[in-house]
Structure formats: structure tokens, C-alpha cells
Amino acid sequence: MLIRALSLTLLTLYSTFATVSWADDSTLQFYVVDFPPYIIAPDEGDIHGIGVETTQAAFAKVGIETTFSLLPWKRIMKSMEHGSALGTVSCSRRPERSHYMLFSDELTISTRVAVSRKEIDTSGIQDLQDLRNYSVVSVEDWGMEQQLTAEAIPHEVTPTLESGIVAIRYRNIDILYASAYPSLHYAKNLGVRKDIKITPIASEPSVPLYLCLSKQYPESRTILEKFNTGLRMIKQDGTYQAIRAKYL
Amino acid sequence: MELRRRIAFQQAKIILISSFLIGGLSALAQFYIDLTNVRAQQLENIERSLSIYEPSIKRAVYSLNVSEAIEVADLMVSDPLFNAATIFDDFGDLMAATHNTPKPLSWTASFSFYLLDIPPQYQRSLKISDGSKPSNAKLIVELDTITVAEGLANRALALSISGFFATVLLSAALFAIFYRFISTPIQRISQWVEQLERLGTNLSLPYQKEDELGDLVRNVHTIWHKKDTAAQQVLTLAYYDPLTQLANRRLLTEELDKSLETSNQHNGVGAVMYLDIDRFKTINDSLGHNVGDQLLVEIAERISKLVGRHSLCARFGGDEFVLLLPELGDEETAIRKAKHLAREIIDAVAIPTKIERNSIHCSTSIGITTFSEPTDCSNQVLRRADTALYRVKAEGRNNYQFYDQSMQQQARWRWEIEEGLHQAIAKDELQIWLQPQVSAEHFIIGAEVLLRWQHPEKGLISPIEFISIAEESGQIDALEAWVLDRSLALLRQWQNKGLPECFERLSINISPAHFMQPGFTSRVLALLDQHAIDGVNIEFEITENLLIENFSLASKTMNILQAHGISFAIDDFGTGYSSLRYLSQLPLNILKIDRSFISDLEHNNNDASLVEVILITADKLGLAVIAEGVETSAQEAILAEHGCKIYQGFYFSRPQPAASFYSLLTAQNGFLKLVSTV
């Protein structure tokens, strides 16, 4: 208990110091894509979602303000690779990202599923390779699409998750390989929630999602440590759970 | 005419060259304008195309969407404007690079692109704003030079080709037009002008339109017509006498030459008549040249009507006419016809002519010669006819005479005398001789100056032989002036040496021609002043006819000279037509009875009576009388019986050279001792 309190005190001091070290540089800017429910970017209003609010709360705990802006995923990645962007929220850990990204403690979990029309027989999908039996689409350059590529599973690409939903609902695409919650979110928005179903792929474990920071960005490590501190704090005081409950 | 020398060709050539030059300049100007427009247009196209693709590129770069970038790049190179497109993201990484296979570039397109001065490669920075610091992506495009320049090159080529063909067609068309409307008419006009010389202005006009060529044709026609008219007039003036419209000397001579040639070929005989109007000068001088001209015209008309169609009547000048009668037949026929015609002409001329208020009577003298000899020429024939005419004149005029050989000799003699006279004075061949005039007491009271000519070849020539020739050839003035001058000089010389008191007159013959010369009076007075003769009367012997024919002028001259001491004697009195009124009104001093009245005085009572009448008349008029040609004592006696007191003749003395006369005069102080004569 004592150690915990001492740790919190030290973290607070550290955070304060950390805050003091870039306080003049204003708020931390994070770039995100629309990835509900983790990241929801409405036409009007602020960007929010599980990942966004958790990140905000965690940094707030250590006295750091954050803002979030939309950018295309590839740009976010490349900016982080070049150190011109601090980071993004709710991104998965991939080997090819490791050389330029810092990953925080687990922020949330994403389950990769096969999204299809209800009438599609997906009972045979147990393994990712089972997708070979279907016409597959995935969001271009997302982790799942890269996975399909890595697995040499033939697939179509689509620029957004929403267009993927459209593809499986109205086009001759059987399966959308994507995350479960975002897919359901878009299907609901498109009014086709009742027309589709999701099929978990047993071979694909849930993928944790992190706050990813650019190694090249100045003091990114410091920032990452502060975040982790803040995250622990909000997990301890129930803020984290409240946020999840709000969206899930 | 060679095609290349034709006006149409020359003009077409000029038009072709001009068109090429103008067309070339125009094409260059047009090309420059086109070039400028194409350049502006292509730059605009490039900018427009880039601006069209820019949002897509930006979007692809923003999304770092390589496939989209490649798609846009592919789309750009499918645009014929671009040959290659390269896209770099704002991180400097290549996103897309696409290019077309380069097409071979023609030299025209290459040159046109060079002229366009458009950079073959365009680089464009694309601002990507991703929320962080804005950065620039890069677009690099390569232009398709063929597309950019080909239009220009094609248009330039099309312009050149079309311009070339248009120029050639224009030149060909203009050549055809000029040939049809200018060269052909000009050639026709040229041929017409060529024919003008041959066929005259009766040809129809080759071109009658109211334009410059038409004016040219009409002007040429007018000028040529005037030229023809003038030529005709010149011909007329050259060959015809303007007064009588008869042929002139030149034409007759040419026709005579032709006739001689024809006569020689055909052995025919022709004839030439040389005639003039007797004493025409008198008529002309008395009635005026206007009347004289009208008389000539009338005579010419009469003569023309008498000659045949094949004959030619010409006026040689003055009052001389010549008739050419070719091919009259043989010699006898020719002579007969010529005689007949001559008689007709004489009769025709004799008809009185009424001109103004005058009724003129005139006659003609005709010299005739035939021609048939191969060696005859026109000059010889005319000279023969003229010689014959001269004989007619000498024998009393108003007749005709055929030429014979003796006339030629005479004519030659006459010519020699005439020519010799020109040099006689200079060569000192003339001599003053004198024949004494004696009184009843046989004292030499005076002398008549006689002129002798010591011809170097012919010997001594009597004045009877050369005076008439001198008068006709106009040399009498010079001769008598010389005689007058030498005579006065001699007299002065004798006076200085000494003259008998009985010698009181020196008589000098003055011909009518000399007497009527303008300036005669002044020359005589000058000589008188020069020689300053004193104490001896200078007496001028003049003929009766001079007085008759020139009464008024003769009277005036005689009065002036008489006032200066000159006496006047009428020579050969009794042979002329002088009237008593003339004798009374003129300042005369002496009458010299012609020798014809003396020569048969002893046997002819009529002559004696006439001599008596003359003596009585002279006495009544206060005139002295000298009897000329006294050759016998009987004649002297009869003359003395009738009261004649002065004599001259061989009985007393022949004419003597001046020196001899002076010796005779001074030998016995003027007394003339007679030598026994018949």
C-alpha cells in the first residue's frame, strides 16, 4: 500500500515535471482514423470513442491535455515513422511497426471476425485459412489486411470499413475480415445491422490495441511512461471501466 | 516568240515570285502568331491538366494511397499532353512513376517544340496539410513533345503546302488570264502593225475595246494614217511640182532612166521635149509673180492635156517644162509624132490667157531630141534637148527644133566659152580694143571701147562670140565692170600722157542686163570718182530694146548718171522698137545708126532714105548721130551728103588694141590718115 502510494506520488511528480517539460508546447496531438467504437469521428462534434476517451483520461490523470485529429491511416503510420506525428490510438502491435513505434500498456482489445451476410454459411470458418473458400475483402493497409497478405489469402481491399460493409451487403463479397465492434458500429449506422452477422475466427485471438507513439518524436518515451502511469491510475480508480461501459 | 519572253509569262513569273515572297512572309507571320497562340494554349492546357489532376494527386498523397497515386499517374500519361508522371509524397518517397514509350520525333515536331520554348518537364509542389506542419509533395511530369508541337508543325506544314499550291494555282490562273487578255491581243496588234507597212491603214482594227489596248490601237492607226499621209505628201513634194502638180525634175529623170532602159531592151525610140515660155521673165516682172504663177499653171494644164497617158510632163523649174515621150515607135515615127505634138503645144500656148484683168499672149520654144542609143543616159538626153531649145531661142523663139550633132558642138563651144570667161579676167586674157569715131574732117573725136578675149587655145575671140554667152551666164556684169574700170583707167593714163584736144568722148557698151543690175548706178559713180576723168565725155551705148523693156527704170538711171556727166547713145538705132516719145523723154545724146542701114547705102535707096530720116529726126531732137559700119568712101559721101558728121567703121579704122589706138590717136595729133580701103 505504501509502495503504491509512493509510486503514485512519484508518478505524479514525474508527470508534473513531464508536464512542466512540454507544457509550453501545448497539447499533445494524436492522429486517428474512424474506428468505432474505439475511435468515433462524427461529422460534427469531437472525436470520441473508447480509445480516445481512455487516452484522454489517462493523460489527464498525469496533467497532460490531448487533442485528436483525423488523418488517413497510412499517413499516420508514415508520419510516426518519420517522427512528424506523435502517435495514434487503438493500433495493434505488428512486427513491421516495431522499429518505429512505442506501444503503451494494453488499451483495449479487438477481435478479428468474419463479417458476412446472414445467409452466408460461415460455419466452416475456424481458421484464417478457411477464408480462402470465400471472396474476402479487408480494409487496405489495416493490420487485418496485412495479415491476409502475409498469409497469401486472396482478398479484395477497400478503403474504409464502411465500404467494406457495403461490399458484403450489396456486392458479391462474402466475407469482410475486420474487427468485430467497428464492423457492427458501421453496420448499425448503415441500417444493415440486421442483415449481417459476425463469425469469430477461432484461430485468431483477440488483438490488444495500444496507444502507439513514434520513436522519432521528441520525448516520446517520456510521454509513453506518463501515459502508462495515467492508464494505471484510471484503471485503478474505475474511470477506465466506466468508459468501456459507456461504449460496450 | 519564245514563251519565256511573253508578257504574260513575265508577269506570271513576277506574280509567282511576289506571291511566294508575300506568301512566305505571311506564312512566317502566321506561323509566329500560331506559335505564340499554341505556346499560350499549351501552357494553359498544361496548367489546366495539372490542376485537374492535382486534387486527385493530393488526395492520393494525403492518404499515402500508392495505388491511387499510380492510378492518377496512369491517367495523366494517358492524357496525350503528358508522356511521364512521377509522384513523390511529402516524405520524399516515390509513390508512382509512369511513362509512355517514347515515340520517334520528327524533325519538324522537334524544331516546332524548340520554337515553342516550353520546358519538356514540369515539376509541381503540392502542399499537403495534415494538421502538422504543412509539407510539399512533388509531381513531376514530362510533356509529350509530339502532342505539344505536332499541331503546330502540322499546321505550319499545311500552311506551307497550301500556300505553295495556292501560289502556283494563282500564278497559273493569272498567266492564263494575262495570256488570254493581254498577250494574245498584243500579239494580234503586233501582227497588225507589221502588216500596216504592207497593206496600209485599210486593215480592220485588231482590237476595238474601250481600254488601254484599244486606245493604243486607235492611236497607232491614227499616227500611221498621218504618217502615210505625210509620206504621200513628202512623195508628192519629192516628185511633183507644188505649183502645177506636174512631175518635177527628179521624177522625170527617174522615169527617163527607166524609159531608156526599156527602149534599149525593145529597140524602141522615145523623145524628150524641153520647152520654156518665151520672155516669161518680162511677164513675171511686169505683171507680178502671182500672175506669173497662174500663167504657169494654165500652161501646164494645156500641155498636160495634149500629152498621152503614157507620157510624162514635168516642170523643171521657172518656166521650163520637159516632156517625156517614151516608145513612140521607130525613128521616123517618133520624129513625126514629136513634131505634131510640138506644133500642138505651140498653138495651145499661143492662145491668150486671161488672168485677173490681164490678157496675156505668150509663146513657147521647144527643143526636141529622140533617144534610142544604148549609151544614152538621162543627163545626155536632157542636155541634147536643152541644146536644141537654145538653138530655137537663138533663132527667134516660138518654134521647135530637133537636136543635131552640130548643136552639140556649138553647145560644147558655148560651154567652153562660158567656163573660160569665168577665168578670163583673173588670167588677164581680156583686152581693151578701141575703134575710132572720126569727124567729117577725119579727126578722131572719140572711140568705142570693144572687148577682145585672147583665149590661150582658141586665140582672139570676138565679143560677138562670147558677149551673148556672158549675158546668158550672168557674167556680163563682171565683164562690163572690168571693161568700164579698165577703160577709165586707160583714159586716165592717156590723159596723164596727153591726149589730142579733138578727142572728146569714150563710148562704152553697156548691156541691158548690166544696166538693170541693182547697184549699177552706184558702182559707175564710184568708178568715176576713182578714176576722176576730166575733159572727156564718158558715153554709155545702150540698146533700143533696153529702153522699151525697162523704160521707167532706164529713165531714172540715165538721169542720175547724166547728172554726173555720163552721155548716152542708142546703139544699133533703127533695129529696135523705140518710139519718138522715148527719144524725146529720155536723156539721150547720140544715136548710132545701125550698120545694116549703111552696108548697102550706095545701092539701096530705102536705106538712104531711112538714114536721112534718122539724121533729120536726130537733128530735130538735138541728138548727135554716128554712122556705124562705114566701110567705103561712097558710104561716107552719102552720109555726109545727108548731114552725118561722125563716122565709125573699117573705112576709117578697124578696132585696135588700146596701145595701138593711142599711138594712132597721138601720131598726128588726132588726125586719122586713111589707109586705102574699099
Side-chain angles (χ1 to χ4, degrees), chain A residues 31 70-72 74-75 78-79 82 84 140, chain B residues 61-64 89-91 93 130-132:
Chain A
Y31 295 97
L70 285 176
L71 271 183
K74 286 184 180 178
R75 176 158 290 279
K78 197 152 189 179
S79 297
H82 284 264
S84 58
E140 190 178 10
Chain B
V61 171
Y62 179 75
S63 304
L64 293 176
D89 63 21
D90 51 333
F91 298 101
D93 294 326
D130 58 359
S132 61

Side-chain angles (χ1 to χ4, degrees), chain B residues 12-13 17 41 57-58 68 99 101 123 198 204 206 218 237 246 252 261 274 307 312 355 369 470 489 624 644 649 669:
Chain B
K13 194 167 72 175
I17 294 169
Q41 194 176 18
I57 297 170
K58 278 186 177 177
E68 187 178 348
H99 63 88
T101 305
Q123 188 167 321
R198 197 160 43 89
S204 59
R218 283 185 287 276
L237 289 172
L246 296 177
L252 185 124
E261 200 172 315
Y274 207 128
V307 298
L312 181 64
I355 298 175
T369 184
C644 183
N669 200 25

Side-chain angles (χ1 to χ4, degrees), chain B residues 70-261:
Chain B
I70 291 172
E71 202 174 297
V72 174
D74 288 342
L75 204 60
M76 288 187 80
V77 298
S78 68
D79 187 331
L81 199 58
F82 303 112
N83 211 30
T86 307
I87 302 172
F88 292 88
D89 63 21
D90 51 333
F91 298 101
D93 294 326
L94 177 68
M95 287 189 71
T98 311
H99 63 88
N100 290 328
T101 305
K103 289 174 274 186
L105 194 62
S106 65
W107 71 268
T108 53
S110 176
F111 183 64
S112 297
F113 191 81
Y114 168 75
L115 292 177
L116 278 172
D117 194 28
I118 295 176
Q121 190 181 76
Y122 265 73
Q123 188 167 321
R124 184 63 56 90
S125 293
L126 307 171
K127 188 181 288 185
I128 306 297
S129 181
D130 58 359
S132 61
K133 188 171 60 178
S135 56
N136 289 329
K138 192 161 63 178
L139 168 66
I140 301 171
V141 292
E142 284 180 10
L143 299 179
D144 189 328
T145 52
I146 293 177
T147 302
V148 171
E150 198 163 35
L152 179 69
N154 288 341
R155 277 194 298 281
L157 193 63
L159 190 66
S160 302
I161 293 171
S162 64
F164 173 80
F165 280 109
T167 301
V168 169
L169 284 173
L170 176 66
S171 298
L174 287 172
F175 170 75
I177 290 169
F178 285 138
Y179 186 82
R180 165 70 178 85
F181 291 101
I182 296 178
S183 280
T184 303
I186 289 176
Q187 193 170 14
R188 228 173 24 240
I189 294 168
S190 174
Q191 290 169 350
W192 170 74
V193 171
E194 229 175 330
Q195 292 177 340
L196 278 176
E197 183 69 33
R198 197 160 43 89
L199 301 175
T201 54
N202 292 326
L203 291 173
S204 59
L205 298 183
Y207 191 89
Q208 300 189 29
K209 292 183 183 176
E210 294 292 329
D211 58 18
E212 293 93 329
L213 289 178
D215 286 346
L216 174 67
V217 168
R218 283 185 287 276
N219 288 336
V220 168
H221 185 266
T222 303
I223 290 169
W224 199 269
H225 183 68
K226 287 182 181 176
K227 184 208 74 102
D228 278 350
T229 305
Q232 191 60 37
Q233 290 175 347
V234 168
L235 190 68
T236 302
L237 289 172
Y239 286 103
Y240 291 89
D241 173 52
L243 178 64
T244 62
Q245 308 305 315
L246 296 177
N248 62 9
R249 177 191 294 268
R250 182 176 176 181
L251 180 56
L252 185 124
T253 305
E254 288 181 9
E255 291 300 316
L256 178 57
D257 284 330
K258 290 179 192 174
S259 294
L260 286 168
E261 200 172 315

Side-chain angles (χ1 to χ4, degrees), chain B residues 317-338:
Chain B
D319 61 330
E320 293 181 342
F321 295 86
V322 175
L323 274 65
L324 170 61
L325 312 173
E327 306 239 7
L328 296 177
D330 56 24
E331 183 76 23
E332 188 182 333
T333 306
I335 291 172
R336 178 172 51 75
K337 288 182 178 178

Side-chain angles (χ1 to χ4, degrees), chain A residues 187-231:
Chain A
K188 182 180 178 182
N189 287 345
L190 290 170
V192 298
R193 176 68 183 85
K194 61 182 185 323
D195 299 325
I196 65 169
K197 64 179 180 182
I198 60 173
T199 305
I201 300 175
S203 64
E204 296 299 313
S206 297
V207 177
L209 301 177
Y210 306 91
L211 175 71
C212 301
L213 300 182
S214 168
K215 285 183 179 179
Q216 301 294 327
Y217 197 88
E219 299 182 32
S220 56
R221 290 186 188 280
T222 305
I223 294 168
L224 186 66
E225 286 173 9
K226 284 191 177 291
F227 173 77
N228 286 334
T229 303
L231 184 61

